[in-house]
Amino acid sequence: MQNPTTTTLGYALFATRWLQAPLYFGLVAAQGVYVYKFFKELWTLIQMCVSGHATETYVMLAVLKLVDVVMIANLLIMVIVGGYETFVSRIGLQGHRDQPEWLSHVNSNVLKVKLATAIVGISSVHLLQMFVDVHHTSHHALLWGTVIHMAFIASAAILAYMSGPMVAQADRGHTDRPQSGHAPAGHAPAGHAPTEHASTEHVPTEHVPAGPARISEQEESDRGDRHRAQPEAGASVAAPAVPRQPGPDVDAEARIRAAGFPARKLLEDFDQRHPRDFDADAVARLGKAEFVAARRNVVFVGPPGTGKTHLAIALGVRACQAGHRVLFATAAEWTARLSGARAAGRLDEELAALDDHPLLIVDEVGYTPLDATAAGLLYRLVAHRYERASLIVTSDRPLGRWDEVLGPSAPAMTDRLAHHADLVRLDGDSYRTRRATSAWAD
């Protein structure tokens, strides 16, 4: 139980970050000053060249001065955008084609390293100006200019060296903390082999997820029969029709662990022979993860046991490897999470915070009916993500029948979900049922 006084004080202190906002607007004004300075220097250079008074050394120095102004303006942009994003408020540009790669996953360590390298670049230009105009520069100025430049290089190197272990330590502290009631993603409980190594052949199955919201023991027992079945002995795997998975990457592995997948599933391991109706070309195209940058959705529809969750997780893994942050949970878990945020009076903040993840996976829509409140929260999630970020949704029924489990909010939800979406239908018998039948026959 939190102390109301402490909570209020914390919110008040956190709100003081907005005092920094005028500082960033001041830097915007400073950038305007540099724009004026740039064109003033450029106009002077043009006049000198036209009049014939510009020597080669003068032109070189003038161009270096213009480069210097541009680099400082770039440094200002980095401080304005990166600092505001990190220390004041998130800038919601996910999916924008011009979004810099460091935005929305920048942290203070990354920002410091980028600023240090930018300062080294500016210092390099200044030092080059001094050596170009060496006849008008004292040896004392050259000496100290070189020493200061080397100090900048050493500082940037030290910051870069320190940021790696600090980020890795933070990632380990986050990923090594087990979720309540679940083993960490990619690890099995004690006495069991890890999921992806439990057998020599992977099959399309659906799993009880370890998503961001807790589920009750009763719900887990009700879904206990949905754990992965063992493959048939001697069964061969069809040749994959999807591009091979990229090689291992430390940052990608951290994103995969943070996504909350119940197990790691790969497109290469999907048994394409099992579904009677399956668009392998569409899945291979989606495996490039380009739909995430395009802010498109993916909807897998089909009976239980046909591999919808396997494909959803596999696309999520590909998205992580492509540099995107992903979160996985069932529809019931998402509504529980949003319900808790609404009860705390921070539903809008929770939806905005989820924008940091370009891809959310909503598994098992329609498996259990949702009351009007839960359906409304699921609609809020879909509506908030509409044309802003991507969703992968799995369901056991076509979109036209979602009203059976979601009620009146279903038409508006499916309209937004399907507008920019790839619909993949899987038809066939449940793999788990087939395994059980085969076991009984034996």
Side-chain angles (χ1 to χ4, degrees), residues 384-408:
H384 181 82
R385 306 281 293 183
Y386 176 63
E387 295 187 334
R388 184 190 308 236
S390 297
L391 289 167
I392 294 179
V393 179
T394 70
S395 178
D396 64 342
R397 64 196 68 206
L399 299 183
R401 292 178 50 200
W402 278 21
D403 59 323
E404 298 173 1
V405 291
L406 300 179

PDB file of all heavy atoms in Angstrom, residues 384-408:
ATOM      1  N   HIS A 384      -6.454   3.210 -30.602  1.00  0.00           N
ATOM      2  CA  HIS A 384      -5.268   4.031 -30.337  1.00  0.00           C
ATOM      3  C   HIS A 384      -4.129   3.671 -31.286  1.00  0.00           C
ATOM      4  O   HIS A 384      -3.361   4.546 -31.715  1.00  0.00           O
ATOM      5  CB  HIS A 384      -4.815   3.846 -28.892  1.00  0.00           C
ATOM      6  CG  HIS A 384      -3.621   4.667 -28.530  1.00  0.00           C
ATOM      7  ND1 HIS A 384      -3.706   5.996 -28.174  1.00  0.00           N
ATOM      8  CD2 HIS A 384      -2.289   4.354 -28.481  1.00  0.00           C
ATOM      9  CE1 HIS A 384      -2.493   6.470 -27.921  1.00  0.00           C
ATOM     10  NE2 HIS A 384      -1.621   5.489 -28.099  1.00  0.00           N
ATOM     11  N   ARG A 385      -4.003   2.400 -31.633  1.00  0.00           N
ATOM     12  CA  ARG A 385      -2.921   1.962 -32.519  1.00  0.00           C
ATOM     13  C   ARG A 385      -3.232   2.219 -33.983  1.00  0.00           C
ATOM     14  O   ARG A 385      -2.327   2.123 -34.826  1.00  0.00           O
ATOM     15  CB  ARG A 385      -2.678   0.458 -32.334  1.00  0.00           C
ATOM     16  CG  ARG A 385      -2.424   0.001 -30.920  1.00  0.00           C
ATOM     17  CD  ARG A 385      -1.045   0.261 -30.456  1.00  0.00           C
ATOM     18  NE  ARG A 385      -0.052  -0.526 -31.160  1.00  0.00           N
ATOM     19  CZ  ARG A 385       1.254  -0.511 -30.875  1.00  0.00           C
ATOM     20  NH1 ARG A 385       1.696   0.277 -29.910  1.00  0.00           N
ATOM     21  NH2 ARG A 385       2.113  -1.241 -31.535  1.00  0.00           N
ATOM     22  N   TYR A 386      -4.477   2.553 -34.316  1.00  0.00           N
ATOM     23  CA  TYR A 386      -4.908   2.690 -35.710  1.00  0.00           C
ATOM     24  C   TYR A 386      -4.038   3.714 -36.446  1.00  0.00           C
ATOM     25  O   TYR A 386      -3.931   4.866 -36.043  1.00  0.00           O
ATOM     26  CB  TYR A 386      -6.376   3.099 -35.755  1.00  0.00           C
ATOM     27  CG  TYR A 386      -6.914   3.364 -37.149  1.00  0.00           C
ATOM     28  CD1 TYR A 386      -6.955   2.349 -38.096  1.00  0.00           C
ATOM     29  CD2 TYR A 386      -7.378   4.629 -37.501  1.00  0.00           C
ATOM     30  CE1 TYR A 386      -7.455   2.584 -39.359  1.00  0.00           C
ATOM     31  CE2 TYR A 386      -7.886   4.869 -38.762  1.00  0.00           C
ATOM     32  CZ  TYR A 386      -7.914   3.844 -39.692  1.00  0.00           C
ATOM     33  OH  TYR A 386      -8.408   4.087 -40.958  1.00  0.00           O
ATOM     34  N   GLU A 387      -3.392   3.276 -37.529  1.00  0.00           N
ATOM     35  CA  GLU A 387      -2.524   4.098 -38.382  1.00  0.00           C
ATOM     36  C   GLU A 387      -1.380   4.730 -37.592  1.00  0.00           C
ATOM     37  O   GLU A 387      -0.761   5.687 -38.045  1.00  0.00           O
ATOM     38  CB  GLU A 387      -3.331   5.166 -39.118  1.00  0.00           C
ATOM     39  CG  GLU A 387      -4.320   4.588 -40.113  1.00  0.00           C
ATOM     40  CD  GLU A 387      -4.988   5.651 -40.953  1.00  0.00           C
ATOM     41  OE1 GLU A 387      -5.094   6.801 -40.483  1.00  0.00           O
ATOM     42  OE2 GLU A 387      -5.397   5.337 -42.087  1.00  0.00           O
ATOM     43  N   ARG A 388      -1.089   4.193 -36.415  1.00  0.00           N
ATOM     44  CA  ARG A 388      -0.012   4.713 -35.577  1.00  0.00           C
ATOM     45  C   ARG A 388       1.063   3.658 -35.348  1.00  0.00           C
ATOM     46  O   ARG A 388       2.240   3.982 -35.323  1.00  0.00           O
ATOM     47  CB  ARG A 388      -0.588   5.155 -34.230  1.00  0.00           C
ATOM     48  CG  ARG A 388       0.423   5.812 -33.296  1.00  0.00           C
ATOM     49  CD  ARG A 388      -0.177   5.991 -31.912  1.00  0.00           C
ATOM     50  NE  ARG A 388      -1.453   6.661 -31.973  1.00  0.00           N
ATOM     51  CZ  ARG A 388      -1.773   7.782 -31.332  1.00  0.00           C
ATOM     52  NH1 ARG A 388      -0.865   8.350 -30.572  1.00  0.00           N
ATOM     53  NH2 ARG A 388      -2.960   8.313 -31.430  1.00  0.00           N
ATOM     54  N   ALA A 389       0.659   2.417 -35.171  1.00  0.00           N
ATOM     55  CA  ALA A 389       1.598   1.323 -34.937  1.00  0.00           C
ATOM     56  C   ALA A 389       0.896   0.016 -35.284  1.00  0.00           C
ATOM     57  O   ALA A 389      -0.311  -0.009 -35.535  1.00  0.00           O
ATOM     58  CB  ALA A 389       2.094   1.323 -33.493  1.00  0.00           C
ATOM     59  N   SER A 390       1.652  -1.070 -35.264  1.00  0.00           N
ATOM     60  CA  SER A 390       1.158  -2.346 -35.777  1.00  0.00           C
ATOM     61  C   SER A 390       0.629  -3.260 -34.678  1.00  0.00           C
ATOM     62  O   SER A 390       1.060  -3.182 -33.524  1.00  0.00           O
ATOM     63  CB  SER A 390       2.276  -3.073 -36.538  1.00  0.00           C
ATOM     64  OG  SER A 390       2.679  -2.337 -37.667  1.00  0.00           O
ATOM     65  N   LEU A 391      -0.299  -4.117 -35.085  1.00  0.00           N
ATOM     66  CA  LEU A 391      -0.841  -5.171 -34.237  1.00  0.00           C
ATOM     67  C   LEU A 391      -0.782  -6.495 -34.989  1.00  0.00           C
ATOM     68  O   LEU A 391      -0.998  -6.539 -36.210  1.00  0.00           O
ATOM     69  CB  LEU A 391      -2.293  -4.887 -33.861  1.00  0.00           C
ATOM     70  CG  LEU A 391      -2.584  -3.753 -32.874  1.00  0.00           C
ATOM     71  CD1 LEU A 391      -4.076  -3.439 -32.887  1.00  0.00           C
ATOM     72  CD2 LEU A 391      -2.142  -4.127 -31.473  1.00  0.00           C
ATOM     73  N   ILE A 392      -0.497  -7.560 -34.273  1.00  0.00           N
ATOM     74  CA  ILE A 392      -0.733  -8.920 -34.764  1.00  0.00           C
ATOM     75  C   ILE A 392      -1.806  -9.522 -33.878  1.00  0.00           C
ATOM     76  O   ILE A 392      -1.670  -9.538 -32.658  1.00  0.00           O
ATOM     77  CB  ILE A 392       0.536  -9.782 -34.723  1.00  0.00           C
ATOM     78  CG1 ILE A 392       1.581  -9.251 -35.692  1.00  0.00           C
ATOM     79  CG2 ILE A 392       0.203 -11.229 -35.073  1.00  0.00           C
ATOM     80  CD1 ILE A 392       2.880 -10.058 -35.692  1.00  0.00           C
ATOM     81  N   VAL A 393      -2.871  -9.998 -34.486  1.00  0.00           N
ATOM     82  CA  VAL A 393      -4.011 -10.532 -33.743  1.00  0.00           C
ATOM     83  C   VAL A 393      -4.282 -11.949 -34.219  1.00  0.00           C
ATOM     84  O   VAL A 393      -4.259 -12.227 -35.425  1.00  0.00           O
ATOM     85  CB  VAL A 393      -5.267  -9.650 -33.942  1.00  0.00           C
ATOM     86  CG1 VAL A 393      -6.455 -10.229 -33.174  1.00  0.00           C
ATOM     87  CG2 VAL A 393      -4.990  -8.225 -33.492  1.00  0.00           C
ATOM     88  N   THR A 394      -4.527 -12.863 -33.283  1.00  0.00           N
ATOM     89  CA  THR A 394      -4.949 -14.214 -33.638  1.00  0.00           C
ATOM     90  C   THR A 394      -6.354 -14.441 -33.090  1.00  0.00           C
ATOM     91  O   THR A 394      -6.684 -13.980 -32.001  1.00  0.00           O
ATOM     92  CB  THR A 394      -3.999 -15.275 -33.058  1.00  0.00           C
ATOM     93  OG1 THR A 394      -4.148 -15.337 -31.631  1.00  0.00           O
ATOM     94  CG2 THR A 394      -2.545 -14.945 -33.383  1.00  0.00           C
ATOM     95  N   SER A 395      -7.163 -15.150 -33.864  1.00  0.00           N
ATOM     96  CA  SER A 395      -8.544 -15.401 -33.456  1.00  0.00           C
ATOM     97  C   SER A 395      -9.019 -16.721 -34.037  1.00  0.00           C
ATOM     98  O   SER A 395      -8.551 -17.154 -35.100  1.00  0.00           O
ATOM     99  CB  SER A 395      -9.449 -14.258 -33.923  1.00  0.00           C
ATOM    100  OG  SER A 395     -10.799 -14.513 -33.571  1.00  0.00           O
ATOM    101  N   ASP A 396      -9.956 -17.338 -33.344  1.00  0.00           N
ATOM    102  CA  ASP A 396     -10.499 -18.607 -33.830  1.00  0.00           C
ATOM    103  C   ASP A 396     -11.730 -18.414 -34.697  1.00  0.00           C
ATOM    104  O   ASP A 396     -12.356 -19.386 -35.104  1.00  0.00           O
ATOM    105  CB  ASP A 396     -10.858 -19.518 -32.643  1.00  0.00           C
ATOM    106  CG  ASP A 396     -11.968 -18.929 -31.785  1.00  0.00           C
ATOM    107  OD1 ASP A 396     -12.219 -17.703 -31.890  1.00  0.00           O
ATOM    108  OD2 ASP A 396     -12.583 -19.680 -31.003  1.00  0.00           O
ATOM    109  N   ARG A 397     -12.092 -17.155 -34.982  1.00  0.00           N
ATOM    110  CA  ARG A 397     -13.288 -16.906 -35.797  1.00  0.00           C
ATOM    111  C   ARG A 397     -13.042 -15.718 -36.714  1.00  0.00           C
ATOM    112  O   ARG A 397     -12.221 -14.837 -36.404  1.00  0.00           O
ATOM    113  CB  ARG A 397     -14.499 -16.663 -34.904  1.00  0.00           C
ATOM    114  CG  ARG A 397     -14.415 -15.432 -34.028  1.00  0.00           C
ATOM    115  CD  ARG A 397     -15.454 -15.495 -32.928  1.00  0.00           C
ATOM    116  NE  ARG A 397     -15.139 -16.565 -31.984  1.00  0.00           N
ATOM    117  CZ  ARG A 397     -16.054 -17.185 -31.235  1.00  0.00           C
ATOM    118  NH1 ARG A 397     -17.326 -16.817 -31.301  1.00  0.00           N
ATOM    119  NH2 ARG A 397     -15.714 -18.155 -30.403  1.00  0.00           N
ATOM    120  N   PRO A 398     -13.748 -15.666 -37.869  1.00  0.00           N
ATOM    121  CA  PRO A 398     -13.595 -14.545 -38.797  1.00  0.00           C
ATOM    122  C   PRO A 398     -13.981 -13.218 -38.133  1.00  0.00           C
ATOM    123  O   PRO A 398     -14.726 -13.189 -37.145  1.00  0.00           O
ATOM    124  CB  PRO A 398     -14.540 -14.896 -39.948  1.00  0.00           C
ATOM    125  CG  PRO A 398     -14.796 -16.358 -39.817  1.00  0.00           C
ATOM    126  CD  PRO A 398     -14.697 -16.673 -38.362  1.00  0.00           C
ATOM    127  N   LEU A 399     -13.503 -12.112 -38.690  1.00  0.00           N
ATOM    128  CA  LEU A 399     -13.792 -10.804 -38.121  1.00  0.00           C
ATOM    129  C   LEU A 399     -15.291 -10.526 -38.083  1.00  0.00           C
ATOM    130  O   LEU A 399     -15.780  -9.839 -37.183  1.00  0.00           O
ATOM    131  CB  LEU A 399     -13.082  -9.712 -38.922  1.00  0.00           C
ATOM    132  CG  LEU A 399     -11.553  -9.788 -38.967  1.00  0.00           C
ATOM    133  CD1 LEU A 399     -10.987  -8.598 -39.735  1.00  0.00           C
ATOM    134  CD2 LEU A 399     -10.972  -9.828 -37.573  1.00  0.00           C
ATOM    135  N   GLY A 400     -16.037 -11.055 -39.032  1.00  0.00           N
ATOM    136  CA  GLY A 400     -17.472 -10.816 -39.079  1.00  0.00           C
ATOM    137  C   GLY A 400     -18.234 -11.454 -37.930  1.00  0.00           C
ATOM    138  O   GLY A 400     -19.407 -11.119 -37.710  1.00  0.00           O
ATOM    139  N   ARG A 401     -17.591 -12.357 -37.197  1.00  0.00           N
ATOM    140  CA  ARG A 401     -18.257 -13.024 -36.071  1.00  0.00           C
ATOM    141  C   ARG A 401     -17.729 -12.554 -34.724  1.00  0.00           C
ATOM    142  O   ARG A 401     -18.043 -13.148 -33.699  1.00  0.00           O
ATOM    143  CB  ARG A 401     -18.091 -14.538 -36.203  1.00  0.00           C
ATOM    144  CG  ARG A 401     -18.838 -15.165 -37.374  1.00  0.00           C
ATOM    145  CD  ARG A 401     -18.569 -16.656 -37.437  1.00  0.00           C
ATOM    146  NE  ARG A 401     -18.771 -17.304 -36.144  1.00  0.00           N
ATOM    147  CZ  ARG A 401     -18.263 -18.489 -35.811  1.00  0.00           C
ATOM    148  NH1 ARG A 401     -17.489 -19.133 -36.675  1.00  0.00           N
ATOM    149  NH2 ARG A 401     -18.502 -19.009 -34.619  1.00  0.00           N
ATOM    150  N   TRP A 402     -16.930 -11.498 -34.704  1.00  0.00           N
ATOM    151  CA  TRP A 402     -16.383 -11.027 -33.440  1.00  0.00           C
ATOM    152  C   TRP A 402     -17.462 -10.457 -32.528  1.00  0.00           C
ATOM    153  O   TRP A 402     -17.260 -10.368 -31.316  1.00  0.00           O
ATOM    154  CB  TRP A 402     -15.303  -9.976 -33.693  1.00  0.00           C
ATOM    155  CG  TRP A 402     -13.972 -10.596 -34.031  1.00  0.00           C
ATOM    156  CD1 TRP A 402     -13.738 -11.853 -34.497  1.00  0.00           C
ATOM    157  CD2 TRP A 402     -12.692  -9.968 -33.917  1.00  0.00           C
ATOM    158  NE1 TRP A 402     -12.396 -12.064 -34.700  1.00  0.00           N
ATOM    159  CE2 TRP A 402     -11.721 -10.918 -34.342  1.00  0.00           C
ATOM    160  CE3 TRP A 402     -12.264  -8.714 -33.514  1.00  0.00           C
ATOM    161  CZ2 TRP A 402     -10.362 -10.620 -34.371  1.00  0.00           C
ATOM    162  CZ3 TRP A 402     -10.909  -8.419 -33.538  1.00  0.00           C
ATOM    163  CH2 TRP A 402      -9.974  -9.369 -33.956  1.00  0.00           C
ATOM    164  N   ASP A 403     -18.595 -10.080 -33.100  1.00  0.00           N
ATOM    165  CA  ASP A 403     -19.669  -9.555 -32.256  1.00  0.00           C
ATOM    166  C   ASP A 403     -20.196 -10.628 -31.303  1.00  0.00           C
ATOM    167  O   ASP A 403     -20.803 -10.310 -30.275  1.00  0.00           O
ATOM    168  CB  ASP A 403     -20.804  -9.024 -33.123  1.00  0.00           C
ATOM    169  CG  ASP A 403     -21.389 -10.087 -34.041  1.00  0.00           C
ATOM    170  OD1 ASP A 403     -20.617 -10.935 -34.560  1.00  0.00           O
ATOM    171  OD2 ASP A 403     -22.613 -10.079 -34.234  1.00  0.00           O
ATOM    172  N   GLU A 404     -19.934 -11.906 -31.611  1.00  0.00           N
ATOM    173  CA  GLU A 404     -20.387 -12.985 -30.734  1.00  0.00           C
ATOM    174  C   GLU A 404     -19.666 -12.954 -29.384  1.00  0.00           C
ATOM    175  O   GLU A 404     -20.215 -13.431 -28.385  1.00  0.00           O
ATOM    176  CB  GLU A 404     -20.136 -14.334 -31.421  1.00  0.00           C
ATOM    177  CG  GLU A 404     -20.892 -14.511 -32.736  1.00  0.00           C
ATOM    178  CD  GLU A 404     -20.477 -15.789 -33.456  1.00  0.00           C
ATOM    179  OE1 GLU A 404     -19.618 -16.516 -32.902  1.00  0.00           O
ATOM    180  OE2 GLU A 404     -20.981 -16.056 -34.565  1.00  0.00           O
ATOM    181  N   VAL A 405     -18.446 -12.416 -29.369  1.00  0.00           N
ATOM    182  CA  VAL A 405     -17.675 -12.399 -28.124  1.00  0.00           C
ATOM    183  C   VAL A 405     -17.340 -10.985 -27.649  1.00  0.00           C
ATOM    184  O   VAL A 405     -16.997 -10.790 -26.476  1.00  0.00           O
ATOM    185  CB  VAL A 405     -16.361 -13.204 -28.287  1.00  0.00           C
ATOM    186  CG1 VAL A 405     -16.658 -14.684 -28.427  1.00  0.00           C
ATOM    187  CG2 VAL A 405     -15.560 -12.698 -29.470  1.00  0.00           C
ATOM    188  N   LEU A 406     -17.460 -10.003 -28.545  1.00  0.00           N
ATOM    189  CA  LEU A 406     -17.098  -8.636 -28.176  1.00  0.00           C
ATOM    190  C   LEU A 406     -18.284  -7.692 -28.115  1.00  0.00           C
ATOM    191  O   LEU A 406     -18.138  -6.552 -27.653  1.00  0.00           O
ATOM    192  CB  LEU A 406     -16.057  -8.087 -29.165  1.00  0.00           C
ATOM    193  CG  LEU A 406     -14.733  -8.862 -29.237  1.00  0.00           C
ATOM    194  CD1 LEU A 406     -13.817  -8.235 -30.269  1.00  0.00           C
ATOM    195  CD2 LEU A 406     -14.057  -8.894 -27.880  1.00  0.00           C
ATOM    196  N   GLY A 407     -19.432  -8.128 -28.604  1.00  0.00           N
ATOM    197  CA  GLY A 407     -20.618  -7.298 -28.502  1.00  0.00           C
ATOM    198  C   GLY A 407     -20.625  -6.119 -29.450  1.00  0.00           C
ATOM    199  O   GLY A 407     -20.020  -6.163 -30.534  1.00  0.00           O
ATOM    200  N   PRO A 408     -21.269  -5.018 -29.074  1.00  0.00           N
ATOM    201  CA  PRO A 408     -21.468  -3.879 -29.986  1.00  0.00           C
ATOM    202  C   PRO A 408     -20.183  -3.198 -30.431  1.00  0.00           C
ATOM    203  O   PRO A 408     -20.184  -2.505 -31.460  1.00  0.00           O
ATOM    204  CB  PRO A 408     -22.320  -2.913 -29.149  1.00  0.00           C
ATOM    205  CG  PRO A 408     -22.950  -3.757 -28.082  1.00  0.00           C
ATOM    206  CD  PRO A 408     -21.971  -4.826 -27.784  1.00  0.00           C
TER     207      PRO A 408
END
